[in-house]
Each structure stands twice: as C-alpha cells, then as structure tokens.
Amino acid sequence: MKIRCFAKINLTLDVFSKRADGYHSLATVMQSIALHDLLTLLPSEASGIRFTCEAPDQIEVPTDSSNLVFRAAQLLWERAEQKGCASSGGLSLHLQKRVPSQAGLGGGSSDAATTLWAIQRFLRLPLSPQELHECAQELGSDVPFFLLGGTVVARGRGEQLTPLPDIPPFWLVIVKPDIGISTKWAYEALDARPDRRSHRATKRMEEAILHGDFERAMAFQCNDFEQVVFEAYPQLAWLADEMQMAGALQTHLCGSGSALYGVFADQGAALRGAELLGKRYSHVYVTHTLTRERFHQLRLMEEE
C-alpha cells in the first residue's frame, strides 16, 4: 500500500485557559490540505514492526518508539494480535517526509493517523470507527482529526471533533522559515501575557459555514498564537507582510508555527506569489485545501 498523509492548517485557533490536567482548552477550525507525506506499507517475513524514514532537507527523524508512526503501528499490531488478525510475519513501513517538521502543519500526527488507517485496512482488522478514534487519541490530541479530514471544528484538547460542511477549495502558499518554535514555549508565552485575550473566532466561523456564508467565514481567520509569536520572532511578522506583498489575500501562522500560510485568489496567483517568495526562502509550497470527499478519495494511491 502507498498512502498519502495529508497536512492541515488551522483556519482559526482560539486558546483558552489552562485546565487542571495541565492542557489548555482550545477551539479551532482545522482544514485538510493537499501537501502530504507518503507512507508505504509492505508485509515482512521478519516478525514485528520495521520502520524507515526518508526526510531530505529536514531535521533528523527518529525511527524508534519515539516516532508516532512506529507507535501507531505497534499499537495496531498489538490489537491485531489480540483479535487474531496479525500475519505470521511482520510489517515494513517507509515514510517519505514532504511536510516540513516543526511547522504547525500536523505532519507527525497525520502520519500516525494514516498509519492506523492503513494497518487496519491492510490486516482487515475489525475495529469500529470509535475504537480507531480511541487509538488515535491515545497517540495525540490532534491525531483523530486526520482520520476525518476536510473541514472540522475541534474543541477540548483538540479531540472533540465536529465535522462541518466543506469550505469551497482555495489555493495556498506555505512558507517554512529556517527557525523552529516550541509549542510549549508558545503556550507559556500566552499564559504570561497579562493582557491576553482570545479572538474567540471559531464559533463565528462555524456558524458562517453552517449557514453557507463562506465569504464571511473566511473573514474570521485568525490565530491567538500570533500575538506572542510575531512579537518574539519579528522575522515572522515581516514574512507575513512579504506574503501579502506577493499577493496573499490573508496570511496566518500555521498552528504555533513556524510556517505561515497565505490564501491566494487562484492557482496562477499562488504560483506567482511562490516564485517571488522563493527568491528569499528555501521552503515554499504551493498547495490547496481538500474537501472531505477528496481527502478520502486521494488518500490511497496504490494497493496490491
């Protein structure tokens, strides 16, 4: 099996107070995009899980139990053994990284969710959607989203999902600068601001989408992390300005960063913008959003 692991952007990201369990409550509209990693899954004569990764121009990706793909594969393999569905040998997984790491695009979580979905299909493992969701949640708060795809509202820690009608697809340019931002630092920086206030835009975007008012919905794009990230990393605030000068209609931080996405009027405008931005930045990607139907149609590339 060859499977695409699609990335995401956050069209809104509202960060609220810290909870008793140490996590922050949040609300976000998450959106699948066509930028993806590629996962290959093969049966192996050797027992257990074998995982390799090819990640050119990126930080070194671990291939042991600290990697979410390995953990997802191990989790499903154990379920398969419990249900008597495991093969006599093992599984070999190879990941080609195309989604930049430490960018806020959910690449690792997408890889994990896709691994769960692929192994369930490969082994014909009789898991209900709820059981698969629980496996995804065990791996990370935003992993369950990548089982659904499309346009989704996430609340709580990110695990409470409500699928929305699809926003009409639009074109994007994503720029990943050569800096990384710690998600832990971003949350702590927000908590340290005495004047901190959330945009609370998720509910408004959700209502606009449900009413079919997509133009109004797009106007609600925002990200609470921008107030601290742009202040601490002025080069990212400048990048947002550069993207607008290159033709972006709106520009926002991807998750807690460090990548930014720009919304463009059409493919031609996105290509022209990417060409201009590529003169200063090494990692520039032209992509587009995916409806839920296209997310599921395009996920599986090949199956033998």
Side-chain angles (χ1 to χ4, degrees):
M1 296 176 69
K2 288 187 178 180
I3 315 102
R4 295 181 177 95
C5 312
F6 293 112
K8 59 83 181 170
I9 57 172
N10 298 80
L11 296 176
T12 66
L13 183 46
D14 302 324
V15 182
F16 305 125
S17 58
K18 199 171 186 178
R19 305 170 1 160
D21 61 7
Y23 291 92
H24 287 75
S25 294
L26 57 86
T28 176
V29 177
M30 303 173 78
Q31 174 63 56
S32 297
I33 61 174
L35 182 64
H36 62 275
D37 293 336
L38 183 60
L39 179 69
T40 302
L41 178 63
L42 293 167
S44 172
E45 293 182 0
S47 61
I49 305 297
R50 181 174 180 269
F51 174 55
T52 56
C53 183
E54 176 186 345
D57 302 324
Q58 296 202 39
I59 59 170
E60 186 175 348
V61 177
T63 55
D64 56 16
S65 59
S66 64
N67 187 284
L68 278 177
V69 170
F70 187 94
R71 288 169 55 194
Q74 195 68 46
L75 180 61
L76 258 285
W77 188 256
E78 290 171 0
R79 292 290 183 99
E81 288 181 327
Q82 292 167 7
K83 293 178 179 287
C85 298
S87 64
S88 58
L91 290 175
S92 177
L93 297 98
H94 179 71
L95 182 68
Q96 291 176 267
K97 286 293 294 179
R98 298 172 177 175
V99 178
S101 301
Q102 299 180 350
L105 294 165
S109 295
S110 177
D111 297 338
T114 305
T115 300
L116 294 176
W117 178 87
I119 292 179
Q120 182 194 26
R121 183 183 179 105
F122 192 79
L123 297 178
R124 296 178 174 84
L125 186 58
L127 290 180
S128 67
Q130 180 59 33
E131 287 178 298
L132 201 63
H133 178 96
E134 289 169 0
C135 289
Q137 192 171 326
E138 190 174 327
L139 295 167
S141 298
D142 61 347
V143 176
F145 163 76
F146 294 98
L147 296 173
L148 282 178
T151 309
V152 175
V153 171
R155 291 188 169 89
R157 286 168 39 191
E159 82 286 2
Q160 300 171 20
L161 304 178
T162 304
L164 293 176
D166 290 307
I167 291 179
F170 54 90
W171 284 88
L172 301 161
V173 173
I174 293 172
V175 180
K176 169 63 172 72
D178 293 328
I179 59 172
I181 294 176
S182 162
T183 300
K184 182 176 182 289
W185 170 86
Y187 277 110
E188 290 174 348
L190 268 181
D191 289 339
R193 285 183 72 105
D195 60 340
R196 170 191 169 189
R197 287 196 312 164
S198 174
H199 288 89
R200 296 183 177 270
T202 297
K203 183 64 175 176
R204 288 177 288 170
M205 180 178 279
E206 180 182 22
E207 290 173 349
I209 292 172
L210 290 172
H211 285 91
D213 191 346
F214 299 116
E215 184 174 345
R216 181 166 168 264
M218 293 294 286
F220 290 130
Q221 293 175 78
C222 66
N223 185 328
D224 283 357
F225 283 120
E226 289 174 3
Q227 55 192 299
V228 292
V229 170
F230 286 171
E231 185 177 283
Y233 297 90
Q235 63 268 48
L236 295 184
W238 171 241
L239 171 57
D241 290 340
E242 284 184 293
M243 293 178 76
Q244 291 190 332
M245 288 187 284
L249 305 176
Q250 288 200 53
T251 302
H252 292 285
L253 197 65
C254 298
S256 59
S258 62
L260 274 75
Y261 76 85
V263 179
F264 284 76
D266 51 40
Q267 183 181 13
L271 290 169
R272 290 190 293 274
E275 184 178 3
L276 290 171
L277 292 162
K279 295 175 181 178
R280 278 181 45 83
Y281 298 94
S282 302
H283 304 291
V284 179
Y285 309 85
V286 177
T287 187
H288 56 84
T289 60
L290 292 173
T291 64
R292 187 166 300 110
E293 181 180 12
R294 291 297 285 163
F295 173 89
H296 290 286
Q297 284 176 344
L298 297 174
R299 173 184 272 182
L300 184 60
M301 292 181 64
E302 295 177 18
E303 184 173 30
E304 294 183 1

PDB file of all heavy atoms in Angstrom, residues 233-268:
ATOM      1  N   TYR A 233       9.345  36.807  17.478  1.00  0.00           N
ATOM      2  CA  TYR A 233      10.052  36.495  16.230  1.00  0.00           C
ATOM      3  C   TYR A 233       9.623  37.492  15.158  1.00  0.00           C
ATOM      4  O   TYR A 233       8.784  37.191  14.299  1.00  0.00           O
ATOM      5  CB  TYR A 233       9.728  35.071  15.773  1.00  0.00           C
ATOM      6  CG  TYR A 233      10.173  33.997  16.726  1.00  0.00           C
ATOM      7  CD1 TYR A 233       9.328  33.543  17.744  1.00  0.00           C
ATOM      8  CD2 TYR A 233      11.439  33.409  16.615  1.00  0.00           C
ATOM      9  CE1 TYR A 233       9.733  32.547  18.626  1.00  0.00           C
ATOM     10  CE2 TYR A 233      11.850  32.407  17.496  1.00  0.00           C
ATOM     11  CZ  TYR A 233      10.989  31.991  18.499  1.00  0.00           C
ATOM     12  OH  TYR A 233      11.384  31.004  19.360  1.00  0.00           O
ATOM     13  N   PRO A 234      10.168  38.706  15.203  1.00  0.00           N
ATOM     14  CA  PRO A 234       9.731  39.732  14.254  1.00  0.00           C
ATOM     15  C   PRO A 234       9.948  39.344  12.797  1.00  0.00           C
ATOM     16  O   PRO A 234       9.265  39.863  11.903  1.00  0.00           O
ATOM     17  CB  PRO A 234      10.565  40.961  14.641  1.00  0.00           C
ATOM     18  CG  PRO A 234      11.688  40.430  15.473  1.00  0.00           C
ATOM     19  CD  PRO A 234      11.169  39.204  16.143  1.00  0.00           C
ATOM     20  N   GLN A 235      10.879  38.400  12.535  1.00  0.00           N
ATOM     21  CA  GLN A 235      11.085  37.969  11.157  1.00  0.00           C
ATOM     22  C   GLN A 235       9.851  37.259  10.610  1.00  0.00           C
ATOM     23  O   GLN A 235       9.607  37.271   9.394  1.00  0.00           O
ATOM     24  CB  GLN A 235      12.324  37.071  11.036  1.00  0.00           C
ATOM     25  CG  GLN A 235      12.282  35.759  11.803  1.00  0.00           C
ATOM     26  CD  GLN A 235      12.871  35.862  13.199  1.00  0.00           C
ATOM     27  OE1 GLN A 235      12.534  36.779  13.949  1.00  0.00           O
ATOM     28  NE2 GLN A 235      13.749  34.927  13.541  1.00  0.00           N
ATOM     29  N   LEU A 236       9.048  36.672  11.483  1.00  0.00           N
ATOM     30  CA  LEU A 236       7.812  36.032  11.026  1.00  0.00           C
ATOM     31  C   LEU A 236       6.736  37.069  10.726  1.00  0.00           C
ATOM     32  O   LEU A 236       5.934  36.895   9.800  1.00  0.00           O
ATOM     33  CB  LEU A 236       7.317  35.024  12.060  1.00  0.00           C
ATOM     34  CG  LEU A 236       8.209  33.806  12.299  1.00  0.00           C
ATOM     35  CD1 LEU A 236       7.548  32.837  13.269  1.00  0.00           C
ATOM     36  CD2 LEU A 236       8.528  33.091  10.988  1.00  0.00           C
ATOM     37  N   ALA A 237       6.709  38.146  11.516  1.00  0.00           N
ATOM     38  CA  ALA A 237       5.782  39.238  11.213  1.00  0.00           C
ATOM     39  C   ALA A 237       6.141  39.865   9.862  1.00  0.00           C
ATOM     40  O   ALA A 237       5.256  40.203   9.058  1.00  0.00           O
ATOM     41  CB  ALA A 237       5.823  40.287  12.318  1.00  0.00           C
ATOM     42  N   TRP A 238       7.436  39.979   9.596  1.00  0.00           N
ATOM     43  CA  TRP A 238       7.882  40.512   8.310  1.00  0.00           C
ATOM     44  C   TRP A 238       7.525  39.557   7.184  1.00  0.00           C
ATOM     45  O   TRP A 238       7.099  39.976   6.102  1.00  0.00           O
ATOM     46  CB  TRP A 238       9.383  40.781   8.347  1.00  0.00           C
ATOM     47  CG  TRP A 238       9.966  41.139   7.008  1.00  0.00           C
ATOM     48  CD1 TRP A 238      10.916  40.475   6.329  1.00  0.00           C
ATOM     49  CD2 TRP A 238       9.610  42.263   6.188  1.00  0.00           C
ATOM     50  NE1 TRP A 238      11.194  41.085   5.132  1.00  0.00           N
ATOM     51  CE2 TRP A 238      10.401  42.195   5.017  1.00  0.00           C
ATOM     52  CE3 TRP A 238       8.703  43.318   6.323  1.00  0.00           C
ATOM     53  CZ2 TRP A 238      10.297  43.131   3.993  1.00  0.00           C
ATOM     54  CZ3 TRP A 238       8.613  44.256   5.299  1.00  0.00           C
ATOM     55  CH2 TRP A 238       9.405  44.154   4.158  1.00  0.00           C
ATOM     56  N   LEU A 239       7.662  38.249   7.421  1.00  0.00           N
ATOM     57  CA  LEU A 239       7.283  37.269   6.412  1.00  0.00           C
ATOM     58  C   LEU A 239       5.801  37.384   6.073  1.00  0.00           C
ATOM     59  O   LEU A 239       5.427  37.280   4.896  1.00  0.00           O
ATOM     60  CB  LEU A 239       7.603  35.851   6.918  1.00  0.00           C
ATOM     61  CG  LEU A 239       7.075  34.683   6.070  1.00  0.00           C
ATOM     62  CD1 LEU A 239       7.566  34.760   4.634  1.00  0.00           C
ATOM     63  CD2 LEU A 239       7.480  33.348   6.702  1.00  0.00           C
ATOM     64  N   ALA A 240       4.963  37.605   7.074  1.00  0.00           N
ATOM     65  CA  ALA A 240       3.526  37.779   6.810  1.00  0.00           C
ATOM     66  C   ALA A 240       3.299  38.969   5.883  1.00  0.00           C
ATOM     67  O   ALA A 240       2.485  38.906   4.949  1.00  0.00           O
ATOM     68  CB  ALA A 240       2.768  37.965   8.125  1.00  0.00           C
ATOM     69  N   ASP A 241       4.034  40.059   6.119  1.00  0.00           N
ATOM     70  CA  ASP A 241       3.921  41.234   5.243  1.00  0.00           C
ATOM     71  C   ASP A 241       4.417  40.905   3.836  1.00  0.00           C
ATOM     72  O   ASP A 241       3.804  41.314   2.834  1.00  0.00           O
ATOM     73  CB  ASP A 241       4.722  42.405   5.818  1.00  0.00           C
ATOM     74  CG  ASP A 241       4.106  42.981   7.081  1.00  0.00           C
ATOM     75  OD1 ASP A 241       2.899  42.748   7.299  1.00  0.00           O
ATOM     76  OD2 ASP A 241       4.827  43.640   7.850  1.00  0.00           O
ATOM     77  N   GLU A 242       5.527  40.173   3.745  1.00  0.00           N
ATOM     78  CA  GLU A 242       6.067  39.800   2.437  1.00  0.00           C
ATOM     79  C   GLU A 242       5.062  38.960   1.644  1.00  0.00           C
ATOM     80  O   GLU A 242       4.920  39.122   0.425  1.00  0.00           O
ATOM     81  CB  GLU A 242       7.365  39.005   2.612  1.00  0.00           C
ATOM     82  CG  GLU A 242       8.571  39.828   2.987  1.00  0.00           C
ATOM     83  CD  GLU A 242       9.821  38.967   3.053  1.00  0.00           C
ATOM     84  OE1 GLU A 242       9.901  38.108   3.943  1.00  0.00           O
ATOM     85  OE2 GLU A 242      10.712  39.145   2.184  1.00  0.00           O
ATOM     86  N   MET A 243       4.387  38.049   2.330  1.00  0.00           N
ATOM     87  CA  MET A 243       3.416  37.195   1.650  1.00  0.00           C
ATOM     88  C   MET A 243       2.251  38.008   1.114  1.00  0.00           C
ATOM     89  O   MET A 243       1.748  37.755   0.014  1.00  0.00           O
ATOM     90  CB  MET A 243       2.940  36.086   2.598  1.00  0.00           C
ATOM     91  CG  MET A 243       4.052  35.094   2.944  1.00  0.00           C
ATOM     92  SD  MET A 243       3.556  33.804   4.109  1.00  0.00           S
ATOM     93  CE  MET A 243       2.598  32.723   3.035  1.00  0.00           C
ATOM     94  N   GLN A 244       1.831  39.016   1.876  1.00  0.00           N
ATOM     95  CA  GLN A 244       0.753  39.882   1.380  1.00  0.00           C
ATOM     96  C   GLN A 244       1.238  40.721   0.201  1.00  0.00           C
ATOM     97  O   GLN A 244       0.493  40.936  -0.759  1.00  0.00           O
ATOM     98  CB  GLN A 244       0.234  40.757   2.513  1.00  0.00           C
ATOM     99  CG  GLN A 244      -0.525  39.948   3.563  1.00  0.00           C
ATOM    100  CD  GLN A 244      -1.256  40.809   4.572  1.00  0.00           C
ATOM    101  OE1 GLN A 244      -0.837  41.938   4.853  1.00  0.00           O
ATOM    102  NE2 GLN A 244      -2.322  40.285   5.134  1.00  0.00           N
ATOM    103  N   MET A 245       2.493  41.173   0.247  1.00  0.00           N
ATOM    104  CA  MET A 245       3.046  41.912  -0.892  1.00  0.00           C
ATOM    105  C   MET A 245       3.171  41.025  -2.124  1.00  0.00           C
ATOM    106  O   MET A 245       3.153  41.505  -3.257  1.00  0.00           O
ATOM    107  CB  MET A 245       4.401  42.519  -0.516  1.00  0.00           C
ATOM    108  CG  MET A 245       4.313  43.690   0.450  1.00  0.00           C
ATOM    109  SD  MET A 245       5.906  44.519   0.737  1.00  0.00           S
ATOM    110  CE  MET A 245       6.709  43.350   1.827  1.00  0.00           C
ATOM    111  N   ALA A 246       3.290  39.712  -1.895  1.00  0.00           N
ATOM    112  CA  ALA A 246       3.371  38.757  -3.009  1.00  0.00           C
ATOM    113  C   ALA A 246       1.993  38.335  -3.518  1.00  0.00           C
ATOM    114  O   ALA A 246       1.910  37.498  -4.421  1.00  0.00           O
ATOM    115  CB  ALA A 246       4.152  37.524  -2.572  1.00  0.00           C
ATOM    116  N   GLY A 247       0.943  38.900  -2.924  1.00  0.00           N
ATOM    117  CA  GLY A 247      -0.399  38.656  -3.452  1.00  0.00           C
ATOM    118  C   GLY A 247      -1.353  37.908  -2.549  1.00  0.00           C
ATOM    119  O   GLY A 247      -2.505  37.663  -2.935  1.00  0.00           O
ATOM    120  N   ALA A 248      -0.916  37.541  -1.346  1.00  0.00           N
ATOM    121  CA  ALA A 248      -1.806  36.810  -0.442  1.00  0.00           C
ATOM    122  C   ALA A 248      -2.950  37.709   0.018  1.00  0.00           C
ATOM    123  O   ALA A 248      -2.745  38.870   0.382  1.00  0.00           O
ATOM    124  CB  ALA A 248      -1.033  36.287   0.762  1.00  0.00           C
ATOM    125  N   LEU A 249      -4.149  37.156   0.014  1.00  0.00           N
ATOM    126  CA  LEU A 249      -5.319  37.892   0.482  1.00  0.00           C
ATOM    127  C   LEU A 249      -5.362  37.925   2.005  1.00  0.00           C
ATOM    128  O   LEU A 249      -5.805  38.908   2.594  1.00  0.00           O
ATOM    129  CB  LEU A 249      -6.597  37.237  -0.052  1.00  0.00           C
ATOM    130  CG  LEU A 249      -6.671  37.068  -1.579  1.00  0.00           C
ATOM    131  CD1 LEU A 249      -7.936  36.317  -1.980  1.00  0.00           C
ATOM    132  CD2 LEU A 249      -6.621  38.435  -2.261  1.00  0.00           C
ATOM    133  N   GLN A 250      -4.928  36.839   2.625  1.00  0.00           N
ATOM    134  CA  GLN A 250      -4.775  36.754   4.080  1.00  0.00           C
ATOM    135  C   GLN A 250      -3.555  35.894   4.367  1.00  0.00           C
ATOM    136  O   GLN A 250      -3.235  34.997   3.589  1.00  0.00           O
ATOM    137  CB  GLN A 250      -5.995  36.116   4.743  1.00  0.00           C
ATOM    138  CG  GLN A 250      -7.235  36.971   4.778  1.00  0.00           C
ATOM    139  CD  GLN A 250      -8.215  36.479   5.847  1.00  0.00           C
ATOM    140  OE1 GLN A 250      -7.854  36.304   7.021  1.00  0.00           O
ATOM    141  NE2 GLN A 250      -9.442  36.263   5.451  1.00  0.00           N
ATOM    142  N   THR A 251      -2.913  36.160   5.485  1.00  0.00           N
ATOM    143  CA  THR A 251      -1.752  35.369   5.897  1.00  0.00           C
ATOM    144  C   THR A 251      -1.849  35.088   7.385  1.00  0.00           C
ATOM    145  O   THR A 251      -2.140  35.997   8.168  1.00  0.00           O
ATOM    146  CB  THR A 251      -0.437  36.121   5.620  1.00  0.00           C
ATOM    147  OG1 THR A 251      -0.357  36.441   4.235  1.00  0.00           O
ATOM    148  CG2 THR A 251       0.751  35.270   5.981  1.00  0.00           C
ATOM    149  N   HIS A 252      -1.621  33.821   7.761  1.00  0.00           N
ATOM    150  CA  HIS A 252      -1.708  33.458   9.174  1.00  0.00           C
ATOM    151  C   HIS A 252      -0.682  32.394   9.525  1.00  0.00           C
ATOM    152  O   HIS A 252      -0.198  31.656   8.661  1.00  0.00           O
ATOM    153  CB  HIS A 252      -3.115  32.972   9.525  1.00  0.00           C
ATOM    154  CG  HIS A 252      -4.143  34.053   9.456  1.00  0.00           C
ATOM    155  ND1 HIS A 252      -4.262  35.038  10.410  1.00  0.00           N
ATOM    156  CD2 HIS A 252      -5.084  34.326   8.511  1.00  0.00           C
ATOM    157  CE1 HIS A 252      -5.234  35.867  10.073  1.00  0.00           C
ATOM    158  NE2 HIS A 252      -5.740  35.460   8.923  1.00  0.00           N
ATOM    159  N   LEU A 253      -0.394  32.318  10.821  1.00  0.00           N
ATOM    160  CA  LEU A 253       0.508  31.313  11.357  1.00  0.00           C
ATOM    161  C   LEU A 253      -0.144  29.934  11.259  1.00  0.00           C
ATOM    162  O   LEU A 253      -1.354  29.789  11.458  1.00  0.00           O
ATOM    163  CB  LEU A 253       0.798  31.655  12.815  1.00  0.00           C
ATOM    164  CG  LEU A 253       1.993  31.009  13.509  1.00  0.00           C
ATOM    165  CD1 LEU A 253       3.305  31.461  12.877  1.00  0.00           C
ATOM    166  CD2 LEU A 253       1.972  31.384  15.003  1.00  0.00           C
ATOM    167  N   CYS A 254       0.647  28.917  10.950  1.00  0.00           N
ATOM    168  CA  CYS A 254       0.172  27.531  10.948  1.00  0.00           C
ATOM    169  C   CYS A 254       0.357  26.972  12.359  1.00  0.00           C
ATOM    170  O   CYS A 254       1.490  26.814  12.816  1.00  0.00           O
ATOM    171  CB  CYS A 254       0.971  26.684   9.959  1.00  0.00           C
ATOM    172  SG  CYS A 254       0.843  27.216   8.245  1.00  0.00           S
ATOM    173  N   GLY A 255      -0.724  26.688  13.059  1.00  0.00           N
ATOM    174  CA  GLY A 255      -0.620  26.202  14.429  1.00  0.00           C
ATOM    175  C   GLY A 255       0.157  27.176  15.284  1.00  0.00           C
ATOM    176  O   GLY A 255      -0.119  28.384  15.286  1.00  0.00           O
ATOM    177  N   SER A 256       1.150  26.679  16.017  1.00  0.00           N
ATOM    178  CA  SER A 256       2.016  27.565  16.798  1.00  0.00           C
ATOM    179  C   SER A 256       3.269  27.948  16.019  1.00  0.00           C
ATOM    180  O   SER A 256       4.195  28.545  16.570  1.00  0.00           O
ATOM    181  CB  SER A 256       2.405  26.892  18.124  1.00  0.00           C
ATOM    182  OG  SER A 256       3.083  25.669  17.885  1.00  0.00           O
ATOM    183  N   GLY A 257       3.307  27.615  14.719  1.00  0.00           N
ATOM    184  CA  GLY A 257       4.417  27.995  13.862  1.00  0.00           C
ATOM    185  C   GLY A 257       5.456  26.878  13.747  1.00  0.00           C
ATOM    186  O   GLY A 257       5.289  25.802  14.307  1.00  0.00           O
ATOM    187  N   SER A 258       6.491  27.135  12.941  1.00  0.00           N
ATOM    188  CA  SER A 258       6.873  28.451  12.460  1.00  0.00           C
ATOM    189  C   SER A 258       6.453  28.748  11.017  1.00  0.00           C
ATOM    190  O   SER A 258       6.772  29.801  10.481  1.00  0.00           O
ATOM    191  CB  SER A 258       8.392  28.596  12.553  1.00  0.00           C
ATOM    192  OG  SER A 258       9.026  27.635  11.714  1.00  0.00           O
ATOM    193  N   ALA A 259       5.745  27.837  10.362  1.00  0.00           N
ATOM    194  CA  ALA A 259       5.303  28.105   8.992  1.00  0.00           C
ATOM    195  C   ALA A 259       4.133  29.082   8.995  1.00  0.00           C
ATOM    196  O   ALA A 259       3.373  29.190   9.960  1.00  0.00           O
ATOM    197  CB  ALA A 259       4.910  26.809   8.296  1.00  0.00           C
ATOM    198  N   LEU A 260       4.003  29.796   7.882  1.00  0.00           N
ATOM    199  CA  LEU A 260       2.848  30.666   7.648  1.00  0.00           C
ATOM    200  C   LEU A 260       2.163  30.229   6.366  1.00  0.00           C
ATOM    201  O   LEU A 260       2.815  29.732   5.435  1.00  0.00           O
ATOM    202  CB  LEU A 260       3.266  32.136   7.507  1.00  0.00           C
ATOM    203  CG  LEU A 260       3.408  32.952   8.803  1.00  0.00           C
ATOM    204  CD1 LEU A 260       4.691  32.561   9.529  1.00  0.00           C
ATOM    205  CD2 LEU A 260       3.410  34.445   8.496  1.00  0.00           C
ATOM    206  N   TYR A 261       0.853  30.396   6.311  1.00  0.00           N
ATOM    207  CA  TYR A 261       0.124  30.149   5.065  1.00  0.00           C
ATOM    208  C   TYR A 261      -0.485  31.449   4.557  1.00  0.00           C
ATOM    209  O   TYR A 261      -0.878  32.311   5.343  1.00  0.00           O
ATOM    210  CB  TYR A 261      -0.951  29.074   5.242  1.00  0.00           C
ATOM    211  CG  TYR A 261      -2.205  29.507   5.976  1.00  0.00           C
ATOM    212  CD1 TYR A 261      -3.263  30.139   5.303  1.00  0.00           C
ATOM    213  CD2 TYR A 261      -2.370  29.266   7.339  1.00  0.00           C
ATOM    214  CE1 TYR A 261      -4.417  30.519   5.964  1.00  0.00           C
ATOM    215  CE2 TYR A 261      -3.520  29.646   8.002  1.00  0.00           C
ATOM    216  CZ  TYR A 261      -4.541  30.276   7.315  1.00  0.00           C
ATOM    217  OH  TYR A 261      -5.696  30.666   7.975  1.00  0.00           O
ATOM    218  N   GLY A 262      -0.553  31.571   3.246  1.00  0.00           N
ATOM    219  CA  GLY A 262      -1.215  32.695   2.607  1.00  0.00           C
ATOM    220  C   GLY A 262      -2.315  32.181   1.700  1.00  0.00           C
ATOM    221  O   GLY A 262      -2.122  31.196   0.978  1.00  0.00           O
ATOM    222  N   VAL A 263      -3.460  32.822   1.737  1.00  0.00           N
ATOM    223  CA  VAL A 263      -4.591  32.477   0.872  1.00  0.00           C
ATOM    224  C   VAL A 263      -4.486  33.302  -0.407  1.00  0.00           C
ATOM    225  O   VAL A 263      -4.343  34.522  -0.344  1.00  0.00           O
ATOM    226  CB  VAL A 263      -5.929  32.769   1.575  1.00  0.00           C
ATOM    227  CG1 VAL A 263      -7.103  32.442   0.657  1.00  0.00           C
ATOM    228  CG2 VAL A 263      -6.035  31.970   2.872  1.00  0.00           C
ATOM    229  N   PHE A 264      -4.577  32.631  -1.554  1.00  0.00           N
ATOM    230  CA  PHE A 264      -4.453  33.323  -2.846  1.00  0.00           C
ATOM    231  C   PHE A 264      -5.730  33.157  -3.663  1.00  0.00           C
ATOM    232  O   PHE A 264      -6.500  32.210  -3.456  1.00  0.00           O
ATOM    233  CB  PHE A 264      -3.242  32.790  -3.616  1.00  0.00           C
ATOM    234  CG  PHE A 264      -1.931  33.318  -3.093  1.00  0.00           C
ATOM    235  CD1 PHE A 264      -1.382  32.822  -1.910  1.00  0.00           C
ATOM    236  CD2 PHE A 264      -1.267  34.331  -3.755  1.00  0.00           C
ATOM    237  CE1 PHE A 264      -0.193  33.313  -1.407  1.00  0.00           C
ATOM    238  CE2 PHE A 264      -0.064  34.837  -3.262  1.00  0.00           C
ATOM    239  CZ  PHE A 264       0.479  34.328  -2.089  1.00  0.00           C
ATOM    240  N   ALA A 265      -5.926  34.090  -4.580  1.00  0.00           N
ATOM    241  CA  ALA A 265      -7.176  34.147  -5.337  1.00  0.00           C
ATOM    242  C   ALA A 265      -7.380  32.927  -6.217  1.00  0.00           C
ATOM    243  O   ALA A 265      -8.500  32.454  -6.400  1.00  0.00           O
ATOM    244  CB  ALA A 265      -7.219  35.428  -6.181  1.00  0.00           C
ATOM    245  N   ASP A 266      -6.292  32.392  -6.793  1.00  0.00           N
ATOM    246  CA  ASP A 266      -6.393  31.237  -7.676  1.00  0.00           C
ATOM    247  C   ASP A 266      -5.013  30.597  -7.809  1.00  0.00           C
ATOM    248  O   ASP A 266      -4.033  31.069  -7.220  1.00  0.00           O
ATOM    249  CB  ASP A 266      -6.956  31.623  -9.054  1.00  0.00           C
ATOM    250  CG  ASP A 266      -6.225  32.797  -9.681  1.00  0.00           C
ATOM    251  OD1 ASP A 266      -4.981  32.861  -9.575  1.00  0.00           O
ATOM    252  OD2 ASP A 266      -6.880  33.670 -10.294  1.00  0.00           O
ATOM    253  N   GLN A 267      -4.917  29.539  -8.595  1.00  0.00           N
ATOM    254  CA  GLN A 267      -3.653  28.825  -8.738  1.00  0.00           C
ATOM    255  C   GLN A 267      -2.575  29.716  -9.347  1.00  0.00           C
ATOM    256  O   GLN A 267      -1.422  29.699  -8.911  1.00  0.00           O
ATOM    257  CB  GLN A 267      -3.842  27.569  -9.586  1.00  0.00           C
ATOM    258  CG  GLN A 267      -2.577  26.731  -9.728  1.00  0.00           C
ATOM    259  CD  GLN A 267      -2.779  25.500 -10.588  1.00  0.00           C
ATOM    260  OE1 GLN A 267      -3.792  25.385 -11.287  1.00  0.00           O
ATOM    261  NE2 GLN A 267      -1.849  24.559 -10.535  1.00  0.00           N
ATOM    262  N   GLY A 268      -2.955  30.494 -10.364  1.00  0.00           N
ATOM    263  CA  GLY A 268      -1.975  31.362 -11.010  1.00  0.00           C
ATOM    264  C   GLY A 268      -1.390  32.366 -10.046  1.00  0.00           C
ATOM    265  O   GLY A 268      -0.159  32.585 -10.025  1.00  0.00           O
TER     266      GLY A 268
END
